């Protein structure tokens, strides 16, 4: 158990809908990251927050958004869902955001299936 | 754009044998991570390599980093079935360590 908690674990929804994925980082970790894992794209970095502020952005679609709250939990919002958004969404956390080489711990992931 | 290439992508080994997984990356970075993933599960951190020449070992796995060659290796010694999993290398890119660029993964199958 990495200490990173994600909910829900599984989610099935229809095209065009909106879902919210939730993440609680490890105790003491200020950085939260979101990654998407799919068979065709592999593991892709979406976005990073540090202590409530966006720090880095990757291949995140405009239909997706995220935020980190004062209690440091984070949410990833996916809207106007398409079949291709079906994937495993990971949240990860680490102590810092600087280029320090801290271990980045991954949660169990949220399986999203769009039908 | 940073590219991370792993090879091989599939590896079938017999128990007791040794093998090496290679991870090449295309731009300067001195932060390299190795993760293990079991099917449908999370990514488990194996090693964080922080400088040129870094070598870390845990059990039957040993990872090394050559930043000049932009190459990391994950060496498996005397493989056992429990090592069957997919292994990913990831390179930290840009000013934030969170922007990890992952390789496609090496699916390792260790057979008795």
């Amino acid at each position: 158990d990495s200490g990173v908690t994600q909910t829900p674990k599984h989610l099935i929804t229809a095209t065009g809908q909106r879902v919210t994925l939730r993440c609680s980082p490890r105790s003491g970790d200020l950085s939260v990251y979101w990654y998407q894992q799919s068979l065709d794209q592999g593991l892709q970095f979406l976005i990073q927050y540090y202590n409530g502020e966006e720090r880095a952005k990757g291949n995140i679609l405009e239909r997706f958004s995220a935020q980190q709250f004062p209690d440091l939990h984070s949410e990833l919002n996916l809207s106007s869902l398409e079949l291709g958004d079906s994937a495993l969404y990971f949240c990860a956390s680490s102590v810092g955001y600087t280029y320090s080489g801290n271990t980045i711990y991954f949660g169990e992931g949220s399986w999203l299936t769009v039908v | 754009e940073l590219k991370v290439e792993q090879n091989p992508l599939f590896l079938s080994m017999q128990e007791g044998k040794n093998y090496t997984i290679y991870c090449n990356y295309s731009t300067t970075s001195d932060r390299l991570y190795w993760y293990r993933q079991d099917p449908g599960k999370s990514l488990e951190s194996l090693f964080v390599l922080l400088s040129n020449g870094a070598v870390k070992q845990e059990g039957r796995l040993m990872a090394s980093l050559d930043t000049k060659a932009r190459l990391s290796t994950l060496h498996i010694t005397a493989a056992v079935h429990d090592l069957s999993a997919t292994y990913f290398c990831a390179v930290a890119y840009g000013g934030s360590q969170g922007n990890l660029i992952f390789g496609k993964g090496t699916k390792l199958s260790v057979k008795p």
Side-chain angles (χ1 to χ4, degrees):
Chain A
D1 183 1
S2 67
V4 180
T5 304
Q6 290 187 246
T7 57
K9 291 195 185 327
H10 299 273
L11 191 55
I12 301 174
T13 191
T15 54
Q17 295 298 306
R18 173 190 168 95
V19 298
T20 297
L21 309 181
R22 194 178 190 280
C23 170
S24 294
R26 286 168 16 113
S27 177
D29 285 359
L30 298 179
S31 273
V32 169
Y33 318 85
W34 287 97
Y35 287 82
Q36 179 195 59
Q37 185 176 34
S38 62
L39 280 175
D40 52 345
Q41 299 290 328
L43 268 159
Q44 290 203 90
F45 169 71
L46 296 178
I47 199 162
Q48 180 206 4
Y49 282 83
Y50 176 80
N51 204 20
E53 293 187 10
E54 182 185 306
R55 286 296 182 180
K57 217 169 193 176
N59 298 323
I60 188 166
L61 299 172
E62 285 191 11
R63 299 183 285 108
F64 297 179
S65 64
Q67 59 184 130
Q68 186 180 27
F69 294 88
D71 67 352
L72 301 178
H73 91 272
S74 177
E75 291 180 357
L76 179 67
N77 299 298
L78 315 174
S79 61
S80 303
L81 285 166
E82 302 174 358
L83 296 177
D85 297 327
S86 296
L88 180 56
Y89 291 85
F90 284 112
C91 173
S93 74
S94 68
V95 170
Y97 75 93
T98 55
Y99 205 52
S100 58
N102 296 133
T103 299
I104 299 172
Y105 295 91
F106 282 73
E108 296 288 317
S110 292
W111 282 95
L112 173 65
T113 302
V114 182
V115 297
Chain B
E1 180 190 345
L2 174 62
K3 291 190 191 308
V4 180
E5 291 186 357
Q6 282 183 243
N7 69 84
L9 297 182
F10 298 93
L11 179 54
S12 182
M13 297 176 63
Q14 280 198 306
E15 281 191 329
K17 299 291 188 184
N18 304 333
Y19 209 85
T20 300
I21 299 171
Y22 297 88
C23 175
N24 290 91
Y25 54 98
S26 62
T27 194
T28 303
S29 174
D30 57 2
R31 299 288 186 267
L32 192 129
Y33 299 72
W34 284 96
Y35 286 90
R36 168 185 169 141
Q37 186 180 34
D38 292 301
K41 301 293 187 183
S42 182
L43 286 96
E44 175 191 352
S45 177
L46 295 175
F47 302 108
V48 181
L49 303 171
L50 300 179
S51 60
N52 186 41
V55 177
K56 289 194 174 180
Q57 182 163 6
E58 181 72 36
R60 300 174 187 276
L61 302 178
M62 183 173 72
S64 66
L65 177 62
D66 180 344
T67 59
K68 291 181 172 50
R70 299 178 185 168
L71 170 68
S72 179
T73 59
L74 181 66
H75 186 73
I76 303 155
T77 302
V80 293
H81 179 70
D82 285 353
L83 290 180
S84 297
T86 298
Y87 293 85
F88 291 93
C89 66
V91 177
Y93 182 57
S96 163
Q97 66 171 356
N99 196 359
L100 293 181
I101 308 298
F102 280 83
K104 290 188 185 298
T106 296
K107 187 171 182 179
L108 172 65
S109 175
V110 181
K111 302 185 186 305

PDB file of all heavy atoms in Angstrom, chain A residues 4 7 12 15 22 43 45-46 51 54 58 66 74 77 79 90 92 100-101 110 112 114:
ATOM      1  N   VAL A   4      -1.329   6.347  -1.146  1.00  0.00           N
ATOM      2  CA  VAL A   4      -2.104   7.228  -2.015  1.00  0.00           C
ATOM      3  C   VAL A   4      -3.457   6.558  -2.255  1.00  0.00           C
ATOM      4  O   VAL A   4      -3.513   5.416  -2.701  1.00  0.00           O
ATOM      5  CB  VAL A   4      -1.391   7.459  -3.356  1.00  0.00           C
ATOM      6  CG1 VAL A   4      -2.215   8.380  -4.247  1.00  0.00           C
ATOM      7  CG2 VAL A   4       0.006   8.026  -3.127  1.00  0.00           C
ATOM      8  N   THR A   7     -10.367   7.192  -5.417  1.00  0.00           N
ATOM      9  CA  THR A   7     -11.747   6.714  -5.556  1.00  0.00           C
ATOM     10  C   THR A   7     -12.388   7.372  -6.774  1.00  0.00           C
ATOM     11  O   THR A   7     -12.009   8.507  -7.151  1.00  0.00           O
ATOM     12  CB  THR A   7     -12.586   7.070  -4.307  1.00  0.00           C
ATOM     13  OG1 THR A   7     -12.549   8.488  -4.097  1.00  0.00           O
ATOM     14  CG2 THR A   7     -12.089   6.351  -3.079  1.00  0.00           C
ATOM     15  N   ILE A  12     -18.086   3.117 -14.710  1.00  0.00           N
ATOM     16  CA  ILE A  12     -18.589   2.928 -16.072  1.00  0.00           C
ATOM     17  C   ILE A  12     -19.569   4.053 -16.342  1.00  0.00           C
ATOM     18  O   ILE A  12     -20.483   4.284 -15.552  1.00  0.00           O
ATOM     19  CB  ILE A  12     -19.278   1.565 -16.237  1.00  0.00           C
ATOM     20  CG1 ILE A  12     -18.315   0.427 -15.913  1.00  0.00           C
ATOM     21  CG2 ILE A  12     -19.812   1.411 -17.661  1.00  0.00           C
ATOM     22  CD1 ILE A  12     -18.969  -0.950 -15.916  1.00  0.00           C
ATOM     23  N   THR A  15     -20.877   7.912 -23.044  1.00  0.00           N
ATOM     24  CA  THR A  15     -20.260   9.011 -23.781  1.00  0.00           C
ATOM     25  C   THR A  15     -21.024  10.307 -23.527  1.00  0.00           C
ATOM     26  O   THR A  15     -22.242  10.292 -23.325  1.00  0.00           O
ATOM     27  CB  THR A  15     -20.235   8.739 -25.294  1.00  0.00           C
ATOM     28  OG1 THR A  15     -21.574   8.441 -25.717  1.00  0.00           O
ATOM     29  CG2 THR A  15     -19.336   7.558 -25.635  1.00  0.00           C
ATOM     30  N   ARG A  22     -11.118  11.147  -7.596  1.00  0.00           N
ATOM     31  CA  ARG A  22     -10.614  11.779  -6.382  1.00  0.00           C
ATOM     32  C   ARG A  22      -9.343  11.096  -5.906  1.00  0.00           C
ATOM     33  O   ARG A  22      -9.182   9.877  -6.040  1.00  0.00           O
ATOM     34  CB  ARG A  22     -11.677  11.710  -5.297  1.00  0.00           C
ATOM     35  CG  ARG A  22     -11.429  12.593  -4.105  1.00  0.00           C
ATOM     36  CD  ARG A  22     -12.575  12.487  -3.105  1.00  0.00           C
ATOM     37  NE  ARG A  22     -12.512  13.486  -2.047  1.00  0.00           N
ATOM     38  CZ  ARG A  22     -11.736  13.397  -0.977  1.00  0.00           C
ATOM     39  NH1 ARG A  22     -10.962  12.350  -0.805  1.00  0.00           N
ATOM     40  NH2 ARG A  22     -11.737  14.348  -0.062  1.00  0.00           N
ATOM     41  N   LEU A  43       1.636   5.074 -20.544  1.00  0.00           N
ATOM     42  CA  LEU A  43       1.497   5.935 -19.371  1.00  0.00           C
ATOM     43  C   LEU A  43       1.820   7.360 -19.760  1.00  0.00           C
ATOM     44  O   LEU A  43       2.929   7.653 -20.187  1.00  0.00           O
ATOM     45  CB  LEU A  43       2.466   5.488 -18.280  1.00  0.00           C
ATOM     46  CG  LEU A  43       1.937   4.495 -17.269  1.00  0.00           C
ATOM     47  CD1 LEU A  43       3.070   3.764 -16.600  1.00  0.00           C
ATOM     48  CD2 LEU A  43       1.082   5.198 -16.229  1.00  0.00           C
ATOM     49  N   PHE A  45       1.716  11.497 -18.595  1.00  0.00           N
ATOM     50  CA  PHE A  45       1.574  12.517 -17.558  1.00  0.00           C
ATOM     51  C   PHE A  45       0.496  13.507 -17.962  1.00  0.00           C
ATOM     52  O   PHE A  45       0.486  13.997 -19.099  1.00  0.00           O
ATOM     53  CB  PHE A  45       2.917  13.220 -17.374  1.00  0.00           C
ATOM     54  CG  PHE A  45       2.857  14.461 -16.525  1.00  0.00           C
ATOM     55  CD1 PHE A  45       2.655  14.388 -15.162  1.00  0.00           C
ATOM     56  CD2 PHE A  45       3.033  15.714 -17.108  1.00  0.00           C
ATOM     57  CE1 PHE A  45       2.614  15.531 -14.384  1.00  0.00           C
ATOM     58  CE2 PHE A  45       2.999  16.861 -16.335  1.00  0.00           C
ATOM     59  CZ  PHE A  45       2.788  16.774 -14.970  1.00  0.00           C
ATOM     60  N   LEU A  46      -0.399  13.803 -17.054  1.00  0.00           N
ATOM     61  CA  LEU A  46      -1.462  14.763 -17.351  1.00  0.00           C
ATOM     62  C   LEU A  46      -1.180  16.119 -16.710  1.00  0.00           C
ATOM     63  O   LEU A  46      -1.110  17.139 -17.392  1.00  0.00           O
ATOM     64  CB  LEU A  46      -2.810  14.226 -16.854  1.00  0.00           C
ATOM     65  CG  LEU A  46      -3.319  12.957 -17.527  1.00  0.00           C
ATOM     66  CD1 LEU A  46      -4.639  12.514 -16.911  1.00  0.00           C
ATOM     67  CD2 LEU A  46      -3.449  13.133 -19.030  1.00  0.00           C
ATOM     68  N   ASN A  51       0.989  21.921  -3.503  1.00  0.00           N
ATOM     69  CA  ASN A  51       0.426  22.756  -2.441  1.00  0.00           C
ATOM     70  C   ASN A  51      -0.675  23.670  -2.972  1.00  0.00           C
ATOM     71  O   ASN A  51      -0.723  24.852  -2.632  1.00  0.00           O
ATOM     72  CB  ASN A  51       1.538  23.580  -1.794  1.00  0.00           C
ATOM     73  CG  ASN A  51       1.186  23.994  -0.378  1.00  0.00           C
ATOM     74  OD1 ASN A  51       0.312  23.407   0.271  1.00  0.00           O
ATOM     75  ND2 ASN A  51       1.856  25.010   0.116  1.00  0.00           N
ATOM     76  N   GLU A  54      -1.040  24.716  -9.663  1.00  0.00           N
ATOM     77  CA  GLU A  54      -0.620  23.929 -10.822  1.00  0.00           C
ATOM     78  C   GLU A  54       0.856  24.184 -11.088  1.00  0.00           C
ATOM     79  O   GLU A  54       1.298  25.323 -11.149  1.00  0.00           O
ATOM     80  CB  GLU A  54      -1.452  24.315 -12.035  1.00  0.00           C
ATOM     81  CG  GLU A  54      -1.123  23.516 -13.290  1.00  0.00           C
ATOM     82  CD  GLU A  54      -1.893  24.011 -14.500  1.00  0.00           C
ATOM     83  OE1 GLU A  54      -3.129  24.091 -14.427  1.00  0.00           O
ATOM     84  OE2 GLU A  54      -1.238  24.315 -15.513  1.00  0.00           O
ATOM     85  N   GLY A  58       0.939  18.277 -18.765  1.00  0.00           N
ATOM     86  CA  GLY A  58       1.367  17.370 -19.823  1.00  0.00           C
ATOM     87  C   GLY A  58       0.309  17.285 -20.891  1.00  0.00           C
ATOM     88  O   GLY A  58      -0.263  18.268 -21.313  1.00  0.00           O
ATOM     89  N   ALA A  66      -8.292  19.702 -13.457  1.00  0.00           N
ATOM     90  CA  ALA A  66      -7.961  19.178 -12.143  1.00  0.00           C
ATOM     91  C   ALA A  66      -7.776  20.323 -11.175  1.00  0.00           C
ATOM     92  O   ALA A  66      -7.630  21.492 -11.579  1.00  0.00           O
ATOM     93  CB  ALA A  66      -6.685  18.334 -12.218  1.00  0.00           C
ATOM     94  N   SER A  74      -6.915  15.934  -4.279  1.00  0.00           N
ATOM     95  CA  SER A  74      -7.036  16.450  -5.646  1.00  0.00           C
ATOM     96  C   SER A  74      -8.187  15.752  -6.353  1.00  0.00           C
ATOM     97  O   SER A  74      -8.569  14.636  -6.002  1.00  0.00           O
ATOM     98  CB  SER A  74      -5.730  16.205  -6.396  1.00  0.00           C
ATOM     99  OG  SER A  74      -5.829  16.632  -7.743  1.00  0.00           O
ATOM    100  N   ASN A  77     -11.334  16.098 -13.165  1.00  0.00           N
ATOM    101  CA  ASN A  77     -12.647  16.154 -13.781  1.00  0.00           C
ATOM    102  C   ASN A  77     -12.519  15.866 -15.270  1.00  0.00           C
ATOM    103  O   ASN A  77     -11.723  16.502 -15.969  1.00  0.00           O
ATOM    104  CB  ASN A  77     -13.264  17.541 -13.583  1.00  0.00           C
ATOM    105  CG  ASN A  77     -13.438  17.873 -12.114  1.00  0.00           C
ATOM    106  OD1 ASN A  77     -14.166  17.202 -11.401  1.00  0.00           O
ATOM    107  ND2 ASN A  77     -12.731  18.901 -11.642  1.00  0.00           N
ATOM    108  N   SER A  79     -14.779  15.578 -18.714  1.00  0.00           N
ATOM    109  CA  SER A  79     -16.100  15.908 -19.233  1.00  0.00           C
ATOM    110  C   SER A  79     -16.216  15.549 -20.712  1.00  0.00           C
ATOM    111  O   SER A  79     -15.209  15.267 -21.376  1.00  0.00           O
ATOM    112  CB  SER A  79     -16.387  17.396 -19.021  1.00  0.00           C
ATOM    113  OG  SER A  79     -15.447  18.182 -19.716  1.00  0.00           O
ATOM    114  N   PHE A  90      -4.202   7.166 -12.891  1.00  0.00           N
ATOM    115  CA  PHE A  90      -3.436   7.088 -11.663  1.00  0.00           C
ATOM    116  C   PHE A  90      -3.230   8.471 -11.064  1.00  0.00           C
ATOM    117  O   PHE A  90      -2.968   9.445 -11.764  1.00  0.00           O
ATOM    118  CB  PHE A  90      -2.046   6.498 -11.919  1.00  0.00           C
ATOM    119  CG  PHE A  90      -2.019   5.021 -12.126  1.00  0.00           C
ATOM    120  CD1 PHE A  90      -1.699   4.493 -13.358  1.00  0.00           C
ATOM    121  CD2 PHE A  90      -2.285   4.156 -11.077  1.00  0.00           C
ATOM    122  CE1 PHE A  90      -1.653   3.119 -13.548  1.00  0.00           C
ATOM    123  CE2 PHE A  90      -2.252   2.784 -11.256  1.00  0.00           C
ATOM    124  CZ  PHE A  90      -1.932   2.272 -12.498  1.00  0.00           C
ATOM    125  N   ALA A  92      -0.622  10.152  -8.219  1.00  0.00           N
ATOM    126  CA  ALA A  92       0.641   9.881  -7.539  1.00  0.00           C
ATOM    127  C   ALA A  92       0.967  11.070  -6.651  1.00  0.00           C
ATOM    128  O   ALA A  92       0.445  12.170  -6.858  1.00  0.00           O
ATOM    129  CB  ALA A  92       1.759   9.643  -8.545  1.00  0.00           C
ATOM    130  N   SER A 100      14.365  17.085  -7.175  1.00  0.00           N
ATOM    131  CA  SER A 100      15.142  16.537  -6.065  1.00  0.00           C
ATOM    132  C   SER A 100      15.209  15.020  -6.047  1.00  0.00           C
ATOM    133  O   SER A 100      15.916  14.436  -5.237  1.00  0.00           O
ATOM    134  CB  SER A 100      14.537  17.008  -4.743  1.00  0.00           C
ATOM    135  OG  SER A 100      13.189  16.592  -4.675  1.00  0.00           O
ATOM    136  N   GLY A 101      14.442  14.406  -6.932  1.00  0.00           N
ATOM    137  CA  GLY A 101      14.528  12.960  -6.991  1.00  0.00           C
ATOM    138  C   GLY A 101      13.790  12.225  -5.904  1.00  0.00           C
ATOM    139  O   GLY A 101      14.116  11.084  -5.597  1.00  0.00           O
ATOM    140  N   SER A 110      -7.901   4.494 -10.899  1.00  0.00           N
ATOM    141  CA  SER A 110      -9.341   4.471 -11.137  1.00  0.00           C
ATOM    142  C   SER A 110      -9.566   3.991 -12.561  1.00  0.00           C
ATOM    143  O   SER A 110      -9.091   4.623 -13.512  1.00  0.00           O
ATOM    144  CB  SER A 110      -9.962   5.868 -10.975  1.00  0.00           C
ATOM    145  OG  SER A 110      -9.925   6.300  -9.646  1.00  0.00           O
ATOM    146  N   LEU A 112     -11.646   3.715 -15.647  1.00  0.00           N
ATOM    147  CA  LEU A 112     -12.777   4.378 -16.279  1.00  0.00           C
ATOM    148  C   LEU A 112     -13.112   3.674 -17.575  1.00  0.00           C
ATOM    149  O   LEU A 112     -12.253   3.512 -18.442  1.00  0.00           O
ATOM    150  CB  LEU A 112     -12.456   5.847 -16.567  1.00  0.00           C
ATOM    151  CG  LEU A 112     -13.509   6.610 -17.378  1.00  0.00           C
ATOM    152  CD1 LEU A 112     -14.812   6.729 -16.593  1.00  0.00           C
ATOM    153  CD2 LEU A 112     -12.991   7.983 -17.785  1.00  0.00           C
ATOM    154  N   VAL A 114     -15.800   4.038 -20.670  1.00  0.00           N
ATOM    155  CA  VAL A 114     -16.822   4.864 -21.315  1.00  0.00           C
ATOM    156  C   VAL A 114     -17.515   4.007 -22.364  1.00  0.00           C
ATOM    157  O   VAL A 114     -16.859   3.426 -23.239  1.00  0.00           O
ATOM    158  CB  VAL A 114     -16.193   6.115 -21.958  1.00  0.00           C
ATOM    159  CG1 VAL A 114     -17.291   6.987 -22.573  1.00  0.00           C
ATOM    160  CG2 VAL A 114     -15.396   6.908 -20.936  1.00  0.00           C
TER     161      VAL A 114
END
